[in-house]
Amino acid sequence: MQYDEEGLDKKELLESFIHDYGDELKRIAYLYLNDLSESEDIVQEVLIKSYHQLDNFRHDSTYKTWLIRMTINQCKDYTKRWSIRNIFYRKELEEVQDQNLIENIYIEQESSYEMSQQLAKLPPKYKEVLILYYYQELTMKEISEVLQINHNTVKSRLLRGKKVLKDKLERSDWNG
Amino acid sequence: MDEFDRRISKEMKRRVKGISMTEQEKQQVYREISRPPVTNKKRNIVIWTVATAAAALFLLLALPLLQESKTETGLGSPLPEDFYEGMEGLQLRVLSEKELENGETEYMIEVNNATNRLIREAMLYMSFDIKLENGRAGNQFKQPWRLGHDLEAGQKIEVPMVVDTRLFDSNQIDRNYITLELIGYLDELEPRKIFHVGQGNSNVEGESDRQWKKL
């Protein structure tokens, strides 16, 4: 069965998702959660879910928009979860990843570390808009499509979120 | 974008630089989608096994309870239709009201068992009705009095009930309306033989034939 105009079947489409968007989705999840281990899980779950839900995809948005939406939603679900793991193991995981993962070579710079710490603490409704605007460099219209919210809501959340983040960074002596 | 925007954008990108899906993660995704789905048949077997086990456990636990309830004949069953037959002969009446020297008030209550039933272990309760804007309501605060002995068929007794009426707020409580209740056993001391009767007494002229004397 073919799933898109290029005649790719389901598995080939998944391969293209992984190849074209896998890294971006993982980075979005990382910015949202500020937890590398969790962002790995999130992106895998999103890709597996996308494979199983391809039959229901209505082509009313691009695959990229659809995948980013799923990633944001998956991150939101994760933050809502109240698990034993969050209580007991989270700190330990963070320590392990800080020591061992190659990616952390790139994130040792204090300024971006402080920024992402403060970003992760923002309410989800601001965080998601800020990530899509600053990192993905999406327009407000594109953000409203991804998040399926009104254009004006995006605008007000962006302004409000920016102000909250700015205040937090100023209070923390953020210097870049 | 202003300076702050540009800086945040730059730092976000710097923050995630080098983060990418590892080969291991990609393989994990492929493994997951290649895993054969759990068939309906297998799922049904599991569901039926769990359901059967739950039913068996329920029966095991419920059976002793069912047997127990069988042995307790009649307990919890509705009262027989003729249980209160002839009980209209039981009269509860305020005879008089007298203010005592210490400020309390003594009410003389008459309990007239003009029935052919034996009343056992009875408690008498007296309460003043609560005033409402458009009438009155029963009062859950009641003065109890244990009769202390059985009341034979046809027997009439007088019970003095002393109440400190100064405790009551006359705006809330109407001392002209007294409700008397009697709760006890009829004929035998068995849970299913418990009865409860109540009668209102009014001291308002023309409203009731149950006016009492103020001594």
Side-chain angles (χ1 to χ4, degrees):
Chain A
M1 190 173 174
Q2 292 177 348
Y3 280 84
D4 77 341
E5 290 164 357
E6 292 172 25
L8 299 176
D9 70 12
K10 221 173 160 181
K11 203 162 183 177
E12 288 168 336
L13 210 48
L14 175 70
E15 282 173 10
S16 75
F17 288 170
I18 293 172
H19 180 264
D20 298 341
Y21 310 120
D23 295 347
E24 282 303 292
L25 298 179
K26 189 175 173 183
R27 289 168 190 165
I28 289 170
Y30 177 71
L31 284 170
Y32 195 102
L33 300 170
N34 198 30
D35 184 323
L36 196 56
S37 167
E38 282 308 329
S39 63
E40 285 169 9
D41 291 348
I42 296 281
V43 76
Q44 286 176 43
E45 283 170 30
V46 166
L47 290 165
I48 293 162
K49 207 185 226 180
S50 71
Y51 176 82
H52 291 302
Q53 290 186 358
L54 265 174
D55 296 329
N56 302 325
F57 183 65
R58 290 173 299 182
H59 292 275
D60 50 5
S61 65
T62 62
Y63 284 127
K64 185 182 175 185
T65 300
W66 182 53
L67 290 168
I68 293 176
R69 186 185 303 146
M70 276 203 282
T71 307
I72 298 271
N73 288 337
Q74 200 75 20
C75 289
K76 277 188 199 167
D77 288 347
Y78 168 78
T79 50
K80 281 181 198 162
R81 265 180 248 150
W82 181 249
S83 67
I84 295 287
R85 188 177 174 189
N86 277 348
I87 303 166
F88 295 108
Y89 299 120
R90 188 167 176 153
K91 191 166 174 23
E92 194 179 331
L93 269 171
E94 280 172 358
E95 282 167 5
V96 170
Q97 81 194 30
D98 281 346
Q99 289 161 13
N100 300 333
L101 295 170
I102 300 164
E103 287 91 337
N104 283 312
I105 294 165
Y106 297 93
I107 50 180
E108 279 173 2
Q109 293 167 48
E110 208 176 304
S111 169
S112 68
Y113 177 80
E114 184 58 40
M115 186 278 304
S116 60
Q117 288 286 315
Q118 298 300 340
L119 178 72
K121 288 177 193 166
L122 289 182
K125 63 180 179 181
Y126 298 144
K127 193 160 47 177
E128 59 197 23
V129 173
L130 292 178
I131 292 170
L132 296 178
Y133 184 74
Y134 289 123
Y135 174 65
Q136 280 286 300
E137 294 188 348
L138 299 184
T139 62
M140 290 199 207
K141 185 172 177 293
E142 287 167 330
I143 295 172
S144 75
E145 277 172 23
V146 171
L147 300 176
Q148 296 180 312
I149 54 175
N150 184 282
H151 179 268
N152 287 330
T153 310
V154 174
K155 198 174 174 182
S156 65
R157 285 185 186 175
L158 183 61
L159 286 172
R160 181 79 188 127
K162 182 180 161 183
K163 188 179 181 311
V164 177
L165 181 62
K166 202 172 184 178
D167 290 347
K168 278 177 179 285
L169 288 171
E170 277 169 4
R171 276 201 298 274
S172 67
D173 288 334
W174 179 60
N175 51 25
Chain B
M1 276 201 176
D2 59 20
E3 182 55 34
F4 177 79
D5 292 334
R6 277 191 291 276
R7 192 168 161 195
I8 291 292
S9 181
K10 192 176 154 193
E11 296 217 350
M12 273 194 197
K13 285 170 189 161
R14 191 163 67 184
R15 179 72 177 157
V16 296
K17 204 173 173 188
I19 293 180
S20 57
M21 274 191 91
T22 61
E23 203 49 44
Q24 198 185 354
E25 288 165 49
K26 290 175 187 172
Q27 290 310 316
Q28 178 67 23
V29 174
Y30 292 128
R31 266 200 303 277
E32 282 296 323
I33 62 154
S34 309
R35 191 178 287 175
V38 180
T39 62
N40 280 342
K41 198 178 170 186
K42 273 184 189 171
R43 196 177 292 157
N44 284 342
I45 291 169
V46 173
I47 290 170
W48 278 108
T49 309
V50 172
T52 312
L57 193 65
F58 173 76
L59 283 175
L60 202 70
L61 295 171
L63 215 57
L65 289 173
L66 289 172
Q67 282 172 342
E68 200 176 310
S69 69
K70 265 187 180 177
T71 57
E72 290 176 7
T73 51
L75 192 65
S77 58
L79 286 170
E81 278 180 20
D82 58 349
F83 182 73
Y84 277 101
E85 204 172 284
M87 287 300 284
E88 61 277 4
L90 180 63
Q91 296 294 315
L92 307 170
R93 186 166 185 167
V94 182
L95 296 177
S96 62
E97 171 187 337
K98 182 179 157 190
E99 198 158 316
L100 302 176
E101 284 178 2
N102 62 2
E104 293 179 337
T105 307
E106 182 187 81
Y107 291 88
M108 192 58 73
I109 313 295
E110 180 188 84
V111 182
N112 182 7
N113 182 14
T115 70
N116 57 1
R117 316 284 289 270
L118 172 65
I119 291 173
R120 308 188 65 181
E121 299 283 338
M123 290 285 288
L124 179 65
Y125 294 89
M126 173 183 159
S127 60
F128 298 108
D129 288 0
I130 295 171
K131 285 179 183 173
L132 299 176
E133 272 184 25
N134 52 357
R136 296 179 309 280
N139 190 343
Q140 60 174 314
F141 297 101
K142 298 166 186 178
Q143 171 104 356
W145 185 274
R146 183 179 289 281
L147 293 189
H149 54 79
D150 294 350
L151 210 57
E152 302 286 344
Q155 190 178 356
K156 187 193 288 187
I157 59 167
E158 287 182 9
V159 179
M161 293 192 82
V162 177
V163 182
D164 191 349
T165 51
R166 293 167 300 182
L167 297 173
F168 297 115
D169 177 358
S170 59
N171 293 322
Q172 307 274 346
I173 300 296
D174 194 338
R175 284 180 53 203
N176 287 317
Y177 291 90
I178 292 177
T179 297
L180 296 169
E181 291 166 84
L182 196 68
I183 299 173
Y185 296 91
L186 272 183
D187 304 318
E188 295 164 86
L189 294 174
E190 285 181 18
R192 62 201 176 104
K193 296 277 184 159
I194 291 174
F195 76 95
H196 181 188
V197 293
Q199 282 172 5
N201 284 248
S202 165
N203 204 26
V204 177
E205 199 170 336
E207 196 168 291
S208 164
D209 58 351
R210 289 171 172 256
Q211 287 177 34
W212 62 86
K213 291 180 211 162
K214 289 197 176 181
L215 302 174

